[in-house]
Amino acid sequence: MKTGCVQMSNFGLSGKMIAQPGKRDELAAILMEAASGMDAVADCQIYIVGVLPEEPDAIWITEVWDNAEAHQASLALEVTQAMIRRAKPLIAGFEQQVKHVPLGGKGMTAR
């Protein structure tokens, strides 16, 4: 099913990651590397990393994928697994994670 020019099968994931105290910038740098690597992953439409100014250890990540299966498959890639291994010791936890169906907007491509 299509709405506008974007398929309803799109898969979105937005979440708040909490870094170990004082490790937000180091963790954000790893996530930015991951974001750069997403250029090579055709099924990843958007991968945005941001910080929350009022929360010194919080990072907000927003992803849009062609579908949930593409997101799941990306987690099995060796490059992704290597990033996860590097990032894991810097992560204190996750406070919020929301799955959603992106309908479209600036930056999203019609598929």
Side-chain angles (χ1 to χ4, degrees):
M1 172 198 248
K2 284 191 164 204
T3 298
C5 64
V6 178
Q7 294 181 20
M8 288 289 290
S9 64
N10 282 341
F11 174 76
L13 187 63
S14 297
K16 182 175 167 182
M17 181 182 291
I18 306 300
Q20 295 290 347
K23 298 292 184 179
R24 180 180 75 179
D25 291 347
E26 188 177 348
L27 180 56
I30 293 170
L31 293 169
M32 289 299 294
E33 284 180 48
S36 292
M38 289 299 125
D39 287 343
V41 180
D43 294 331
C44 180
Q45 296 181 39
I46 295 173
Y47 190 102
I48 299 171
V49 178
V51 296
L52 301 175
E54 302 299 320
E55 299 181 47
D57 297 319
I59 299 170
W60 191 264
I61 304 162
T62 300
E63 304 174 51
V64 176
W65 295 83
D66 286 353
N67 52 60
E69 295 78 16
H71 173 259
Q72 195 62 39
S74 76
L75 297 175
L77 297 172
E78 178 52 39
V79 66
T80 304
Q81 288 296 310
M83 292 272 182
I84 291 170
R85 284 190 296 272
R86 286 177 50 212
K88 205 169 193 173
L90 305 174
I91 301 171
F94 297 87
E95 283 191 3
Q96 186 176 8
Q97 192 171 52
V98 179
K99 294 178 183 177
H100 50 89
V101 178
L103 299 179
K106 184 177 170 114
M108 286 186 61
T109 56
R111 307 264 180 163

